[in-house]
């Protein structure tokens, strides 16, 4: 690789990091204010779970189309367009919650739609960069996402503590996200597909849904997506309602979970390159399971914080490694990443109402035990993510 190509690839790598980081900022900026939105609307745990279901419904709508759209328009155009749509939708939710549930549900549906397409597109570009570099760095891009979520969560905690209204806080965050991402995507390089690739045709996309390995990877990602999503949606509420903390402390617990995910994703590539995907993922599944149980049954908030830390570490690599595994063959990457992401996002479709329903009948913390069963299942699915022969 020439010096010019190396410099261009470094610039592209920075651009991809920025798109991951600011998707995290957007998500956490809204998620940090969920307790205040819930209280304003007077919702029960199952009620807020159903509202959050709109995000997953939007994502599920866009994901089956995302692979084809990325192939047709390119990851650069898709990420930039979806960033503008996402910022508009979250700003709408931040204004709409003052007028009732319906405006929030509509805005969150659009937010979920844009998130799903953005996610597939930036993962396709990240897989291109990973292959060009010849190193397992996908999880570091996802660490960038986690850095964004930590920054957004800490800013959210500060906004809550300072009494900054939800609407002002979220709109400021949205403006920053849109500006940063629209500029960053200019550094993307062409995706490694051609018009003749089956991945871009409807037949190729349908064929990916019939591949056993792709479906198993999708189920694995589903388990880890629920593990990650449950922490994002419910840790602060569980700390406030079940562990008796105040709102700002609950948000800090959310930040601890996200910080642990960031650490796992940043240092994960070294472990993956040295030991391979399967042993590392098995260890993390066990770690996440232990952390979840400590969080649920810990008798003191400080112990629950420790559980949140282990939970975040355990959840850190499942989604990014699943994306890498789906993209092992470049020409089929858009279709397979779309399939795996579609299955994984079902966790965001079913997770909020499931845990909310259990929270109404037991507690939110006890409802989180449903996640433990899928983590156990993920242990049996890890062989499907093994690297292709000769990749290590």
């Amino acid at each position: 690789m020439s010096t010019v190509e190396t410099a261009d690839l470094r610039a592209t790598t920075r651009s991809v990091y920025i798109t991951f980081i600011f998707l995290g900022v957007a998500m956490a900026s809204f998620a940090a204010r969920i307790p205040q939105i819930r209280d304003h609307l007077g919702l029960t745990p199952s009620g807020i779970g159903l509202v959050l279901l709109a995000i997953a419904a939007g994502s599920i709508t866009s994901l089956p189309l995302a692979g084809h759209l990325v192939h047709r328009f390119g990851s650069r155009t898709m990420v930039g367009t979806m960033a503008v749509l996402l910022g508009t939708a979250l700003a709408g939710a931040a204004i709409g919650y003052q007028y009732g549930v319906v405006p929030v549900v509509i805005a969150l549906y659009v937010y979920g739609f844009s998130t799903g397409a953005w996610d597939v597109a930036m993962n396709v570009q990240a897989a291109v960069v990973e292959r060009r570099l010849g190193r397992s760095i996908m999880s570091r891009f996802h660490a960038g996402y986690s850095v964004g979520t930590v920054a957004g969560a800490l800013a959210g905690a500060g906004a809550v503590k300072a009494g900054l209204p939800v609407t002002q806080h979220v709109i400021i965050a949205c403006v920053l996200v849109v500006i940063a991402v629209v500029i960053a995507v200019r550094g993307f390089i062409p995706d490694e597909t051609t018009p003749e690739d089956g991945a871009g045709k409807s037949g190729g996309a349908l064929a990916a849904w019939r591949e056993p390995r792709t479906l198993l990877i999708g189920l694995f990602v589903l388990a880890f997506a629920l593990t990650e999503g449950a922490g994002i949606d419910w840790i602060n509420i569980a700390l406030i309602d079940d562990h008796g903390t105040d709102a700002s402390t609950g948000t800090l617990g959310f930040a601890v979970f996200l910080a642990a995910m960031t650490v796992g994703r940043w240092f994960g590539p070294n472990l993956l390159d040295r030991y391979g995907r399967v042993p590392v993922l098995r260890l993390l599944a066990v770690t996440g399971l232990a952390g979840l149980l400590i969080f649920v049954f810990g008798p003191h908030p400080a112990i629950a914080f420790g559980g949140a830390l282990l939970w975040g570490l355990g959840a850190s690599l499942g989604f990014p490694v699943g994306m890498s595994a789906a993209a092992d063959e470049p020409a089929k990457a858009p279709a397979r990443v779309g399939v795996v992401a579609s299955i994984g996002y079902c966790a965001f479709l079913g997770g909020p109402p499931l845990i909310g329903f259990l929270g109404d009948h037991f507690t939110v913390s006890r409802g989180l035990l449903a996640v433990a069963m899928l983590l156990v299942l993920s242990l049996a699915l890890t062989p499907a993510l093994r690297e292709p022969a000769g990749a290590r």
Side-chain angles (χ1 to χ4, degrees), residues 231-256:
I232 290 170
D233 289 339
W234 296 103
I235 275 183
N236 53 357
I237 290 177
L239 284 168
I240 294 167
D241 291 356
D242 301 334
H243 289 283
T245 69
D246 59 27
S248 60
T249 302
T251 305
L252 285 175
F254 171 54
V256 166

Side-chain angles (χ1 to χ4, degrees), residues 85-325:
L85 185 61
L86 181 148
T88 303
L90 278 188
I95 296 169
Y97 91 99
Q98 300 177 65
Y99 302 98
V101 172
V102 173
V104 176
V105 170
I106 294 171
L108 292 184
Y109 175 86
V110 177
Y111 163 60
F113 183 95
S114 58
T115 299
W118 179 346
D119 199 357
V120 171
M122 73 179 181
N123 274 286
V124 168
Q125 180 71 192
V128 172
V129 174
E130 184 177 53
R131 284 191 294 272
R132 295 278 186 93
L133 289 174
R135 292 185 287 116
S136 302
I137 66 161
M138 178 68 82
S139 70
R140 285 194 176 166
F141 289 130
H142 285 259
Y145 171 82
S146 296
V147 166
T149 61
V150 172
L154 291 175
V160 171
K161 197 72 173 177
L164 185 67
V166 172
T167 301
Q168 293 179 22
H169 168 214
V170 175
I171 288 178
I172 291 170
C174 288
V175 170
L176 292 174
V177 167
V178 172
I179 292 173
V181 174
V182 168
I183 293 173
V185 295
R186 296 176 183 175
F188 278 23
I189 57 179
D191 303 327
E192 294 176 345
T193 58
T194 68
E196 289 74 29
D197 289 336
K201 301 176 183 178
S202 59
L206 292 175
W209 281 98
R210 296 192 293 268
E211 297 171 350
R213 178 177 182 264
T214 301
L215 296 178
L216 290 174
I217 293 171
L219 289 175
F220 176 88
V221 170
L222 171 69
F224 272 81
L226 182 59
T227 304
E228 178 181 344
I232 290 170
D233 289 339
W234 296 103
I235 275 183
N236 53 357
I237 290 177
L239 284 168
I240 294 167
D241 291 356
D242 301 334
H243 289 283
T245 69
D246 59 27
S248 60
T249 302
T251 305
L252 285 175
F254 171 54
V256 166
F257 172 82
L258 296 174
M261 286 190 63
T262 304
V263 170
R265 286 174 170 173
W266 185 257
F267 291 102
N270 295 332
L271 296 175
L272 291 167
D273 286 337
R274 182 171 183 178
Y275 299 108
R277 294 172 182 167
V278 174
V280 172
L281 291 174
R282 283 175 175 163
L283 174 62
L284 291 180
V286 172
T287 302
L289 179 60
L292 178 61
L293 295 176
I294 291 170
F295 179 86
V296 171
F297 295 109
H300 189 275
I303 296 175
F305 267 61
L309 187 149
L310 290 176
W311 181 358
L313 282 173
S316 62
L317 295 184
F319 200 97
V321 175
M323 294 298 103
S324 287

